[in-house]
């Protein structure tokens, strides 16, 4: 903690045997070097009422209709698989 402070996540100790047969103790550390907001795993998108097959496909992929917002909420991976990125609503 004295050396790395709040960036320190984990310390590990490991013993190894070198090719010449001697034992060595290794101390390794895990540090946080960057922190930023995570990308959303879900997004909101607009699908028209008459697009029945598309609504069925997004529902099967884990999407759900939100009647208060009049938008679909779906996993980003499903939106990418169905190539619906152009329907994502940015500011909800």
């Amino acid at each position: 903690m004295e050396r790395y402070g709040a960036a320190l996540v984990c310390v590990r100790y490991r013993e190894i045997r070198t090719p010449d047969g001697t034992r060595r103790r290794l101390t390794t550390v895990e540090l946080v070097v960057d922190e930023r907001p995570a990308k959303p795993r879900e997004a909101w998108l607009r699908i028209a009422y008459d697009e029945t097959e598309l609504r069925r496909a997004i529902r099967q992929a884990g999407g759900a209709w939100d009647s208060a917002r009049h938008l679909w909420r779906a996993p980003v991976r499903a939106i990418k698989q169905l190539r619906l990125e152009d329907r994502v609503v940015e500011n909800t």
Side-chain angles (χ1 to χ4, degrees), residues 2-87:
E2 290 176 20
R3 189 169 182 183
Y4 298 106
L8 182 64
V9 174
C10 181
V11 178
R12 293 183 187 93
Y13 303 96
R14 192 172 89 177
E15 286 191 14
I16 63 167
R17 191 170 296 275
T18 63
D20 66 1
T22 59
R23 289 178 37 188
R24 308 280 295 172
R25 182 175 181 191
L26 304 178
T27 304
T28 62
V29 296
E30 184 178 335
L31 300 174
V32 174
V33 295
D34 183 35
E35 183 177 342
R36 60 183 148 214
K39 291 183 179 180
R41 296 177 188 240
E42 291 185 327
W44 296 93
L45 66 156
R46 197 173 307 282
I47 299 174
Y49 181 77
D50 62 346
E51 295 179 291
T52 310
E53 290 301 316
L54 192 52
R55 291 184 333 186
R56 186 176 300 134
I58 202 70
R59 187 177 287 121
Q60 286 177 343
W65 171 250
D66 186 306
S67 59
R69 293 185 182 199
H70 298 280
L71 294 171
W72 286 85
R73 179 180 39 82
V76 171
R77 65 173 163 67
I79 293 169
K80 288 181 180 180
Q81 284 175 342
L82 295 169
R83 296 189 173 131
L84 299 174
E85 294 93 343
D86 59 329
R87 295 172 179 256

